[in-house]
Structures are given as C-alpha cells and as structure tokens.
Amino acid sequence: GHAVAARATGARAEISLDFLAGYASFVPTRPLARWERAGISIAGPAVQIGIGVGVLLLMGVSPFDPDTFRGNEAAIAIWWTGPMMGLFNLFPVLPLDGGHIVLAGLDRVLPGRSRTVMLYLSIAISATVAVLLFTSDRYRGLGLFALLPILAQVQMLNARRPADRPHSSAGPLGEAHAWLTGDVTAIPSPLVP
C-alpha cells in the first residue's frame, strides 16, 4: 500500500520483505503535500486491514465476531496479522504510520517544530501505555511491546536532524529529510535518479 501510494505521487518506491516483516521506502522526486504524505502513511495499514478482512470473509469467518474464528488457528493468525496489526499501526505515535499521519497534520500548525513536538507526544503516550500495561495483571506481558516504540522515539529525538545538516545526510537521514521537506538533495546521488 505504501509503495503504490508513493509511486502515485511520482516517487521511486521499493519494498523490502524480511523474515517476518516487510516495509516500503521511497524517494520523492518533488516536494510532497501534507495530504500526500498522510495518504502514503494510511495506504499501508488500509491494504493490510483490507486484505486481512477479505481473506477472513473468503474463509467464511466474520472478522467482527471473534466467536466465529476462535477455534480456527489460521483465522486467528490472519485476524491478528491483518486487521489487528493494521489498526495497531494506526496508533498515533511515531514511528508508526498513525504517528506520521498526525505529524503531517501537525506540520500545518507547527511548521518546523512538528517533528520534535510529535516525538515528545509519542514518548508521553507510549510511556503511559507501557505503565498501564505493566500494572495490569492481564496485559503485563504486552508491556515489553510498548517499550520498543519508546526506544525508537528516543533514538529519533536524539538523532541529529537532517535540517541541521541537510547536505551531509546519507541514507535514512536523507530519506527522512526528503520525506518531511521534499528536498531530495540530501540523499546520496546514486539513490536519486
């Protein structure tokens, strides 16, 4: 979904499939509007949720009624990896897609400061969720999953921002700078056509 949406904006997109995960990256060829950045972020979870729901319906299982698939291990796996992970990815914290969607909107209100504000909000929300999970007898085991975004958020916050050194950025920093500003000059020349 991300790659198709990015290509629709004219960006060069690539998909990488790893052991149990996949991700899309892209290099914009022009500055992207906020709605285009948000659309690219929404496209991934939308496809994931849509395909998951479609497969469950083809299996004769209602994705909205857990009682219809509780005894079916394949349906449970598809339900968790499709709709549930897609919805989780829409949670409004960075580095999740929901965080990028909020960031695109926040950039309109706080241009130039939206990334830092969003990172602090993400850390606060993720820390609150982690505390709630760790203090719950039923969901304590999920608390570790809340720590992973916090690690990424702190790393993102402490990283030198591409705007601080736009012409010396390489790889991911250059791509991040291009994502936020549309300026592709920060990406090493072999990556830019």
Side-chain angles (χ1 to χ4, degrees):
H2 292 309
V4 170
R7 287 179 183 150
T9 69
R12 198 180 88 235
E14 296 178 0
I15 301 170
S16 175
L17 298 175
D18 293 328
F19 175 61
L20 288 175
Y23 61 90
S25 63
F26 68 95
V27 177
T29 55
R30 61 174 175 77
L32 297 178
R34 289 178 192 92
W35 68 269
E36 289 174 314
R37 294 190 321 235
I40 291 168
S41 293
I42 291 170
V47 167
Q48 184 174 4
I49 292 167
I51 289 174
V53 167
V55 169
L56 288 170
L57 291 173
L58 288 173
M59 293 174 68
V61 173
S62 170
F64 309 106
D65 182 11
D67 291 333
T68 65
F69 59 83
R70 285 216 170 118
N72 185 335
E73 290 181 15
I76 291 170
I78 292 167
W79 185 74
W80 277 107
T81 59
M84 294 311 295
M85 286 184 74
L87 288 171
F88 173 76
N89 202 8
L90 289 172
F91 197 69
V93 297
L94 291 173
L96 302 178
D97 289 320
H100 286 286
I101 295 164
V102 173
L103 179 62
L106 193 58
D107 190 46
R108 180 171 176 85
V109 179
L110 300 169
R113 298 180 309 177
S114 59
R115 180 180 181 275
T116 302
V117 170
M118 188 62 200
L119 281 169
Y120 281 116
L121 285 172
S122 295
I123 291 169
I125 292 169
S126 298
T128 301
V129 169
V131 167
L132 291 173
L133 291 173
F134 278 122
T135 57
S136 166
D137 290 335
R138 184 173 182 183
Y139 299 109
R140 184 169 291 131
L142 296 175
L144 293 174
F145 290 106
L147 295 179
L148 295 174
I150 294 171
L151 292 173
Q153 293 155 359
V154 170
Q155 182 182 17
M156 292 168 69
L157 190 62
N158 290 328
R160 287 187 66 195
R161 290 172 185 80
D164 296 339
R165 52 189 189 108
H167 296 292
S168 63
S169 299
L173 288 179
E175 184 176 339
H177 177 71
W179 168 260
L180 291 172
T181 65
D183 176 13
V184 297
T185 60
I187 299 172
S189 59
L191 298 177
V192 178

